[in-house]
Amino acid sequence: IRKVSGRTTMSARVNILNNKPYWLERYRQHSQLLDQALANAKSNDVPIDGLLLKLQAANQSLIAIEESAFKLIDEGKKQQATNLLFGDEYTTKKLVYTHNIEGIVEQTSIFEQNLADEYQSRERLLFVLFIWVTIAFLILIAVTYIAKRIKNKQIEQLILHDSLTSLLNRRSFDVALFHEFRRYKRENRKIAIAI
């Protein structure tokens, strides 16, 4: 918007000084682009509608002065047209226009920064949630492992003991015999079984 506005003003002023059709054509093109840019700038996301309305009003007052200057040129009143476009009223309105553009840029920057901050806080929240889910998953795995070991110990107790008398059974004897036989071989000793 700022670039197109500058080109519009320049084209209008050069047209007043040179009075060539090229500059008037360029002014009309840039003026149309500026109107389109202002119409497209309305946004639901950025809170700049009030500033846009002020900018459009300032733009319309500048266009009115520029069109008056073009009319004066057509009538052969070049000095009056020059005074109009290089005078205090036009310069003041141009400053108001520029101030409104700067306000829009500032509000847009603030809005973008707020969005960036919001996204950053969401990313942090997601990261923290990911860490908590990972910790919960690791705790669940640990609890599952401990429960499995406890269950395996209970199953081993059931396998090695008689359920009626709670005494060691034949399977327990086989396990003990296997361990003792290995120790016998390792220590090179004698082994005896008494029945």
Side-chain angles (χ1 to χ4, degrees), residues 170 173-174 177 191-195:
R170 168 65 194 263
F173 171 75
D174 289 343
L177 180 63
I191 190 168
I193 298 175
I195 298 178

Side-chain angles (χ1 to χ4, degrees), residues 71-89:
K71 196 174 186 181
L72 288 170
I73 284 291
D74 288 342
E75 295 170 359
K77 300 176 182 176
K78 184 177 180 178
Q79 186 58 43
Q80 288 177 332
T82 304
N83 291 342
L84 198 58
L85 282 186
F86 289 93
D88 290 340
E89 180 185 3

Side-chain angles (χ1 to χ4, degrees), residues 140-179:
L140 183 64
I141 289 174
V143 167
T144 304
Y145 176 75
I146 292 169
K148 185 177 178 183
R149 290 210 44 185
I150 291 171
K151 199 62 154 170
N152 286 345
K153 288 265 187 203
Q154 290 173 345
I155 290 172
E156 189 178 317
Q157 285 294 326
L158 289 173
I159 289 173
L160 298 177
H161 290 81
D162 181 56
S163 60
L164 182 61
T165 63
S166 293
L167 297 175
L168 295 173
N169 61 17
R170 168 65 194 263
R171 208 174 265 120
S172 172
F173 171 75
D174 289 343
V175 170
L177 180 63
F178 175 76
H179 287 297

Side-chain angles (χ1 to χ4, degrees), residues 1-16 22-38 58-67 69-70 85-86 90 94 97 101:
I1 291 176
R2 190 179 299 174
K3 285 182 182 178
V4 175
S5 171
R7 289 177 184 154
T8 304
T9 301
M10 183 195 71
S11 298
R13 285 181 170 171
V14 171
N15 183 51
I16 296 300
Y22 168 76
W23 293 106
L24 184 57
E25 172 78 24
R26 186 169 184 226
Y27 169 80
R28 302 258 189 246
Q29 287 175 345
H30 287 297
S31 181
Q32 187 178 17
L33 284 172
L34 187 58
D35 285 340
Q36 288 174 352
L38 289 173
N59 186 46
Q60 291 304 316
S61 65
L62 287 173
I63 288 173
I65 292 173
E66 292 160 354
E67 291 293 336
F70 294 149
L85 282 186
F86 289 93
Y90 185 80
K94 194 67 179 176
Y97 183 82
I101 289 176

